[in-house]
Amino acid sequence: MMVALLGATTLVLVAVAPWVLSAAAGGKNLKSPQKVEVDIIDDNFILRWNRSDESVGNVTFSFDYQKPGMDNWIKLPGCQNITSTKCNFSSLKLNVYEEIKLRIRAEKENTSSWYEVDSFTPFRKAQIGPPEVHVEAEDKAIVIHISPPGTKDSVMWALDGLSFTYSLVIWKNSSGVEERIENIYSRHKIYKLSPETTYCLKVKAALLTSWKIGVYSPVHCIKTTVENELPPPENIEVSVQNQNYVLKWDYTYANMTFQVQWLHLYFGRPS
């Protein structure tokens, strides 16, 4: 019996690791991102990180988070498939006094291993942002109105809105010599200024009970008005009726308002 061999074909099956296939197709093992930084200012939650390999293009990054009592990791809103090295997760509803864990990985055709960020408590990590400042000028004074840092519905400072203390720095624009004023109220008036002079100021907030000092607001400059010289009241009289003290005076102009101040006066015994 003759058998004609027209050709021979050999089929070889070889097991290949997935990373070899990726490399053969022009892929590359992805390295995990590094040096993740968490920046929290008021209610703004920002993440920044470093790429491990700048030579690899078209890489995206994604975060997961985990709260106490959770076994599973959940995708972090605002930080999925990010092409840059920064993302904002302020939309996540958190208990700011509770610890949170984060992890990040790089993604392309394949994914890197997860890089876990040290757990942190948002309130402890949060920084106080600049307060909102509004100024009004008079001839020899400036009135300052201060709103607390954060938004009106701030979660971070919800329990501390009335505990903020404020300090300011003020200077003449022409000289630059600074004067610091500590522990002012949300409405503060600075007296004894020069008329028709430009003053600049900046304000910062603090939570002394939490050892937190904020950053200064943007600089606000305003010019005091032309000096308003009004004559003083005349014929001032004080009348006493039982325990009621009545102050009376005469004035040249009508439709005016007045401000009265008083001081303690002590008398010594005659010798």
Side-chain angles (χ1 to χ4, degrees), residues 36-107:
V36 178
E37 295 181 359
V38 183
D39 293 328
I40 304 176
I41 299 178
D42 298 333
D43 292 277
N44 294 315
F45 293 68
I46 305 294
L47 290 169
R48 295 181 176 87
W49 59 92
N50 290 347
R51 296 173 181 265
S52 295
D53 193 342
E54 297 287 348
S55 64
V56 181
N58 300 321
V59 177
T60 62
F61 304 92
S62 295
F63 275 88
D64 286 354
Y65 76 96
Q66 191 179 62
K67 295 192 289 187
M70 293 173 53
D71 295 325
N72 299 326
W73 290 86
I74 301 174
K75 293 182 182 297
L76 186 65
C79 295
Q80 298 299 310
N81 309 119
I82 304 299
T83 56
S84 64
T85 55
K86 173 184 174 182
C87 68
N88 185 318
F89 66 105
S90 305
S91 62
L92 181 65
K93 304 301 181 185
L94 290 172
N95 180 344
V96 297
Y97 303 101
E98 196 173 67
E99 275 196 349
I100 183 175
K101 293 181 180 179
L102 299 174
R103 66 180 186 179
I104 182 177
R105 70 180 181 186
E107 301 163 334

Side-chain angles (χ1 to χ4, degrees), residues 2 8 17 19 42 56-58 105 108 110 188 213 231 238 245 252:
M2 293 181 62
W19 65 266
D42 298 333
V56 181
N58 300 321
R105 70 180 181 186
K108 197 174 180 182
N110 53 351
H188 186 75
I213 306 296
V238 179
Y245 295 80
T252 307

Side-chain angles (χ1 to χ4, degrees), residues 72 169 179 191:
N72 299 326
V169 177
E179 177 187 355
Y191 296 93

Side-chain angles (χ1 to χ4, degrees), residues 95-97 123 154-164 207 209:
N95 180 344
V96 297
Y97 303 101
F123 182 81
S154 175
V155 174
M156 188 62 68
W157 313 125
L159 301 180
D160 301 284
L162 299 178
S163 301
F164 282 112
L207 282 175
T209 54

